[in-house]
Amino acid sequence: MPVPSDARHHPLVPVLETVTASCCPGRLNFHCHTTNSDGSLHAEALAAQALSIGLEHLAVTDHHSTDSFRPIQQWFEQQSEAGATTPHLWSGMEISCLLEGCLVHVLALGFELDHSALEPYRQGQAPVGEPLKAVEVRRRIHAAGGLAVLAHPGRYRLPFHRLIPAAADLGFDGAEAFYDYEMQARWHPTPLVCESVTQLLDKHGLLRTCGTDTHGLELCGR
């Protein structure tokens, strides 16, 4: 699968190239929330569940906050010192922006945690003005060394058939290919929507991600 040139050497790319419908929730999770935004799990509790289910890669993507990263990183380090095998923790954040005049969410993944380019998005709420534009969000994520991923493309006012090509044209790196649009108790990708999204991502040479978008108390559900 072709990879956008600006993302080709990012260390997360080889992981995303393995993403299939069966990777989440047990192996990969690049979309979940804690009490640092609108989730119900405290950071350490989410980390404990990630460890217990054997996740290999994890990104916590709180809305406009990266406050969960260091507590989880520290907890994983403690568990690792005790002999546990912990997930690889990637930086993450969910950012609101305007794409084609539609309010969408973008997952920033694998960026330099304290990079100044992302400062407008770490204030606990969506910015206003220029930083709210999708092209500016993409630019700032890339400036911080991260990947820009369109979250749950099938959940917006505009159809994903329009939003995904628009994101590709702006230099986005990928989109959330596998998502539980039916919001079941245990996460499971919604077949027809996810198949169509995946085909469109492949057509535009975009990376695939997956995640539970957990807001509740169980990391294997939403």
Side-chain angles (χ1 to χ4, degrees):
M1 179 177 63
V3 178
S5 59
D6 58 354
R8 191 173 300 275
H9 302 296
H10 193 286
L12 182 53
V13 167
V15 180
L16 298 185
E17 289 178 328
T18 72
V19 170
T20 65
S22 63
C23 288
C24 187
R27 177 174 166 250
L28 309 175
N29 196 337
F30 297 106
H31 190 174
C32 53
H33 301 274
T34 73
T35 52
N36 283 309
S37 64
D38 57 347
S40 301
L41 285 168
H42 289 283
E44 292 84 354
L46 187 148
Q49 288 195 30
L51 182 65
S52 70
I53 64 178
L55 274 181
E56 297 174 19
H57 294 270
L58 170 69
V60 176
T61 52
D62 282 320
H63 294 273
H64 303 108
S65 173
T66 56
D67 289 348
S68 292
F69 183 86
R70 286 196 171 92
I72 291 176
Q73 182 184 51
Q74 182 177 9
W75 194 87
F76 280 163
E77 288 174 353
Q78 293 170 349
Q79 302 307 307
S80 181
E81 291 171 359
T85 300
T86 59
H88 185 113
L89 180 64
W90 300 88
S91 56
M93 180 164 52
E94 189 165 10
I95 300 170
S96 299
C97 71
L98 291 174
L99 176 64
E100 296 286 283
C102 179
L103 185 65
V104 302
H105 293 168
V106 178
L107 302 176
L109 299 174
F111 51 86
E112 184 182 328
L113 191 65
D114 297 318
H115 199 287
S116 60
L118 295 179
E119 193 58 32
Y121 309 119
R122 283 194 289 259
Q123 306 303 317
Q125 59 187 5
V128 296
E130 189 73 15
L132 189 60
K133 296 179 179 179
V135 66
E136 182 67 4
V137 171
R138 192 276 305 158
R139 185 190 72 79
R140 287 175 175 270
I141 292 172
H142 283 176
L147 300 177
V149 173
L150 180 63
H152 40 63
R155 285 190 63 188
Y156 303 116
R157 175 176 57 84
L158 294 181
F160 63 82
H161 301 91
R162 178 175 171 182
L163 293 173
I164 289 175
D169 288 344
L170 293 181
F172 276 53
D173 303 298
E176 203 164 23
F178 303 108
Y179 188 83
D180 188 353
Y181 292 98
E182 297 174 345
M183 301 183 186
Q184 301 169 85
R186 181 175 174 83
W187 188 94
H188 190 274
T190 305
L192 294 179
V193 179
C194 293
E195 289 164 10
S196 297
V197 167
T198 299
Q199 291 172 5
L200 198 53
L201 294 180
D202 289 348
K203 177 181 177 180
H204 289 276
L206 296 176
L207 295 163
R208 310 172 185 178
T209 71
C210 60
T212 54
D213 197 8
T214 297
H215 287 77
L217 295 171
E218 297 294 333
L219 190 53
C220 286
R222 191 172 188 281

